[in-house]
Amino acid sequence: MRPQLIRLGSGFVTLALFAGAPAMALEAEVPPPSIADAMAQAASPQAIAEYRRKLKEYQEARATFEEEAGAYWSSISEKRKGRNAKRRERQAITLNDYVLTQPPVYTGPKRPVSPEPEEEKPPRERKPIPVVADFLKAAADHFQFVPQRPAAEVDFKRAYARYALAAGLTREQAVRVYSFETGGTGNHDMQSGLSASRPGSRAISTAIGYNQLLTTNSVELLAEQGHELIKELTARAATLSGAPRKAMDHKLAVLKKMVAFSRTVPDTWSEHEKLANTPQGWAVHAMVLDVDVGPMLQTHKLLTSVIFARAKGYNRPLTAAELEMMNLTGDGTGLDMVTMPQAMREQVPTSNFFQRGGYERNPVAIRHNTVAKLLAVTDERMDFNSNKPGAKELAAAF
């Protein structure tokens, strides 16, 4: 049994519990007088009464706040529905179609700490987030496939640059989005939350690559754009012979199987998300690491936003910051911000584009609380990170 540490004052005393220690000796141990007195004082009727009084104050203040917040976020939802209806009817969107006040902030008393001993609850188990090693294992197990990794990182950047330019993305869009998503230094296998410079860091999502694609992004891209990727890979295979041709033919066969798997459910984000959370979905995500398919997936993730904007009648080239808004928030929500005139951007709170839970977990949207401020800070980060080595290398690849 491991020694237990008991905190006394400002230090620690190590108490070794041996298997052979008499049970009666352990039972007879009494806390030092200072601790016993503190426990008795904490649980006194006066302390309990004071706690209950403060708890009542907290609960009343919190209930008042929740009523106010509930009304605010309901109005956000109603305004969003109204904007969507007006867009379907091709009617102009005005300031009146947005909530123009900031979300209420709780400023009441904090929840008091109970003086009575409370039953210890087991720590909530964290759902493990798969990492690159899991994606690679899944690809090998379920599709007998190992992604072709680049001999050097610049090879992946060059492949990405070639495909992105041919598909219609600009160097500015690709490089600045990369700078924002990876901090200007990320490799093709960078995963959100993990950093070699931070020992013990943990993945905070399944997002990997230059554009930080989630497992659901990979499944959805194969389901919707898989025919284009297969066509592109087939053309490349036709130019090869010998061992390279054999390897490409195998990759192409695997890609076709992955596309077929991704299309086994209706074409909705929620259904793709379910597939993405399976080992087979993890295997699909491993394609982001492949030097041939990965650049295509990265490109199409951004290109779908460009195409979406054009289909909605927005033909002006998207700035990198605008493209990033669509990349982060989804095409429909992002376009809502992108199509807004600058004068409206200065006045419309960012809360209009979030659900309550997502907004309250997003300190960037809270601090930069108008559309103009959010786009400005995005541009600032892109400016700063574009001078980092990885961003410069990607720019040179174009």
Side-chain angles (χ1 to χ4, degrees):
M1 182 177 292
R2 294 177 59 191
Q4 296 183 3
L5 297 179
I6 298 178
R7 176 148 189 181
L8 297 177
S10 60
F12 288 91
V13 175
T14 302
L15 174 64
L17 300 180
F18 298 97
M24 288 300 294
L26 294 176
E27 292 174 2
E29 288 183 349
V30 177
S34 59
I35 294 181
D37 292 343
M39 291 173 65
Q41 183 180 359
S44 69
Q46 295 87 348
I48 293 172
E50 179 67 6
Y51 162 73
R52 290 175 178 169
R53 182 186 67 78
K54 290 182 177 179
L55 179 62
K56 186 173 183 293
E57 288 180 355
Y58 164 78
Q59 290 171 334
E60 289 174 349
R62 195 76 204 186
T64 299
F65 167 75
E66 287 299 330
E67 184 177 355
E68 182 183 358
Y72 179 88
W73 289 102
S74 290
S75 66
I76 289 283
S77 178
E78 289 303 312
K79 290 284 189 179
R80 183 182 297 118
K81 291 177 183 176
R83 293 196 302 276
N84 291 339
K86 290 183 75 170
R87 286 195 179 90
R88 285 193 294 270
E89 298 298 323
R90 298 189 178 279
Q91 298 177 18
I93 306 297
T94 69
L95 273 177
N96 290 332
D97 295 308
Y98 297 92
V99 176
L100 300 181
T101 56
Q102 295 293 339
V105 177
Y106 179 72
T107 57
K110 294 181 180 180
R111 185 184 186 94
V113 177
S114 174
E116 299 179 289
E118 295 182 356
E119 182 180 351
E120 288 190 13
K121 296 180 181 179
R124 186 173 63 180
E125 290 187 14
R126 291 186 180 184
K127 184 179 180 181
I129 296 174
V131 295
V132 167
D134 298 310
F135 306 141
L136 294 173
K137 184 177 185 303
D141 290 347
H142 294 279
F143 291 93
Q144 295 71 56
F145 178 70
V146 177
Q148 180 185 349
R149 309 291 285 276
E153 189 62 29
V154 70
D155 294 332
F156 201 100
K157 288 187 170 75
R158 287 169 180 160
Y160 178 41
R162 283 195 301 271
Y163 193 82
L165 277 177
L169 292 180
T170 67
R171 179 174 72 169
E172 181 191 36
Q173 288 171 329
V175 173
R176 288 175 70 80
V177 168
Y178 163 87
S179 299
F180 184 87
E181 292 281 356
T182 73
T185 58
N187 290 341
H188 73 287
D189 57 356
M190 174 183 176
Q191 183 164 356
S192 180
L194 293 177
S195 173
S197 64
R198 298 198 312 273
S201 58
R202 294 183 177 182
I204 60 175
S205 80
T206 60
I208 57 175
Y210 295 167
N211 298 348
Q212 290 290 279
L213 271 64
L214 297 163
T215 48
T216 309
N217 291 134
S218 294
V219 169
E220 185 155 279
L221 285 166
L222 286 195
E224 297 176 352
Q225 308 295 330
H227 59 287
E228 289 291 336
L229 275 60
I230 290 171
K231 180 180 177 181
E232 174 72 21
L233 222 56
T234 300
R236 292 188 193 182
T239 67
L240 304 174
S241 61
R245 174 62 184 265
K246 184 177 180 180
M248 185 64 80
D249 284 343
H250 175 61
K251 187 182 299 186
L252 184 57
V254 169
L255 180 61
K256 289 178 179 178
K257 290 179 181 178
M258 288 183 172
V259 169
F261 165 76
S262 300
R263 291 177 175 170
T264 56
V265 298
D267 187 13
T268 65
W269 178 267
S270 60
E271 291 299 322
H272 291 152
E273 188 174 33
K274 292 175 185 176
L275 283 191
N277 287 329
T278 66
Q280 293 94 328
W282 299 356
V284 167
H285 200 39
M287 271 296 186
V288 179
L289 306 171
D290 185 85
V291 71
D292 291 314
V293 181
M296 291 192 278
L297 290 170
Q298 300 278 349
T299 295
H300 277 282
K301 175 63 176 71
L302 298 181
L303 197 60
T304 51
S305 296
V306 174
I307 294 171
F308 180 88
R310 288 175 184 164
K312 296 296 183 180
Y314 191 79
N315 296 314
R316 183 177 64 77
L318 294 169
T319 69
E322 290 171 342
L323 185 55
E324 182 60 31
M325 286 301 104
M326 297 179 73
N327 190 36
L328 284 174
T329 66
D331 288 336
T333 300
L335 190 63
D336 196 355
M337 288 188 267
V338 167
T339 55
M340 192 180 297
Q342 183 62 29
M344 287 176 61
R345 290 180 180 183
E346 299 284 351
Q347 299 179 64
V348 175
T350 55
S351 54
N352 282 274
F353 310 99
F354 289 84
Q355 302 292 333
R356 179 180 177 180
Y359 180 83
E360 291 176 345
R361 291 192 301 270
N362 193 322
V364 175
I366 293 172
R367 285 197 301 270
H368 307 280
N369 57 9
T370 65
V371 173
K373 290 178 181 177
L374 188 58
L375 284 167
V377 75
T378 302
D379 261 325
E380 287 173 12
R381 292 188 182 185
M382 288 178 170
D383 289 341
F384 181 77
N385 291 333
S386 290
N387 292 314
K388 301 281 186 68
K392 288 184 175 180
E393 187 175 66
L394 179 58
F398 279 82

